[in-house]
């Protein structure tokens, strides 16, 4: 069986100067578009945290693909952490800085029992602002962020240092 990291290394596409000059954009869509690779990354992330989470939170938009796969495979609830202004009802909001620009993430309240252990997943860990903001939303909603799983970590940007004690698992680090 080909390890998930090898699938990612083989299929990952890189685009210099997208969406802005100076950014090397890492495109994981070719990984998601390969059935064996997609299954391998879902299994890798799920198995790393097996038995340690009650729910999985995916960050819009590519994190949704991962969270859906993990939630289905693990038989657990899925939370959608969305970009600002898209969720109805009572929502929690966090502002944060991106590698390029700034953004806002939101989470609806009251979807899980208090104290639920939540695994956070996304495609790329860059500066860590996105995942750190998500961890704050999870905590403010009354849950416990028990781990972070990402497909690709851009190690030079040191994103994991912004996540405190929350364990970070990455399939490939560049
Ligand atoms: P950050 O908050 O800096 O860790 O950025 C992570 C989020 O931005 C993830 O949701 C990524 O999808 C996206 N992102 C940031 N930098 C890149 C990059 N160089 N290539 C692809 N996606 C990126």
């Amino acid at each position: 069986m080909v390890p998930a990291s090898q699938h990612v290394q083989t299929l990952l596409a890189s685009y210099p100067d997208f969406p802005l000059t100076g950014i090397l954009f890492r495109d994981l869509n070719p990984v998601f578009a390969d059935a064996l690779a997609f299954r391998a990354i879902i299994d890798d992330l799920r198995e790393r945290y097996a038995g340690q989470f009650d729910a999985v939170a995916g960050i819009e938009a590519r994190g949704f693909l991962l969270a859906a796969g993990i939630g289905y495979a693990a038989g657990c609830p899925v939370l959608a952490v969305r970009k600002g202004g898209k969720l109805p009802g009572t929502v929690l909001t966090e502002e944060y800085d991106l590698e390029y620009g700034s953004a806002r993430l939101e989470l609806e309240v009251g979807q899980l029992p208090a104290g639920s252990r939540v695994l956070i997943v996304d495609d790329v860990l860059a500066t860590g602002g996105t995942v750190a903001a998500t961890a704050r939303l999870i905590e403010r909603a009354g849950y416990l962020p028990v781990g972070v799983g990402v497909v690709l970590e851009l190690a030079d940007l040191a994103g994991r240092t912004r996540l405190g004690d929350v364990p970070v698992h990455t399939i490939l680090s560049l």
Side-chain angles (χ1 to χ4, degrees):
M1 202 181 69
V2 178
S5 57
Q6 197 175 318
H7 281 294
V8 178
Q9 203 144 25
T10 306
L11 294 168
L12 173 71
S14 300
Y15 294 89
D17 297 326
F18 180 88
L20 296 173
T21 304
I23 300 292
L24 178 59
F25 189 83
R26 305 294 192 164
D27 180 16
L28 290 172
N29 282 333
V31 181
F32 297 137
D34 181 295
L36 287 179
F38 183 66
R39 179 173 282 175
I41 62 175
I42 294 298
D43 286 345
D44 181 292
L45 296 174
R46 181 179 57 81
E47 283 163 13
R48 163 62 182 81
Y49 291 105
Q52 297 176 42
F53 62 98
D54 305 309
V56 57
I59 305 172
E60 187 169 356
R62 286 158 292 200
F64 291 173
L65 304 173
L66 299 168
I70 294 167
Y72 181 82
C76 76
V78 175
L79 296 182
V81 176
R82 300 215 59 181
K83 291 174 180 162
K86 293 187 173 181
L87 290 173
T90 306
V91 298
L92 301 170
T93 301
E94 285 284 337
E95 304 266 353
Y96 65 103
D97 293 326
L98 283 173
E99 189 184 0
Y100 38 87
S102 69
R104 194 155 55 98
L105 284 178
E106 293 184 337
L107 177 67
E108 282 172 83
V109 300
Q111 293 173 314
L112 300 174
S116 293
R117 300 168 302 165
V118 178
L119 170 62
I120 297 167
V121 291
D122 202 4
D123 63 338
V124 175
L125 179 68
T127 65
T130 303
V131 172
T134 299
R136 291 196 297 275
L137 286 173
I138 297 294
E139 280 178 348
R140 286 174 56 201
Y143 317 137
L144 301 171
V146 290
V148 171
V150 298
V151 179
L152 180 67
E153 174 181 18
L154 306 179
D156 287 354
L157 296 171
R160 61 171 64 225
T161 61
R162 294 176 69 169
L163 297 167
D165 293 339
V166 182
V168 179
H169 170 65
T170 61
I171 293 175
L172 185 68
S173 184
L174 291 180

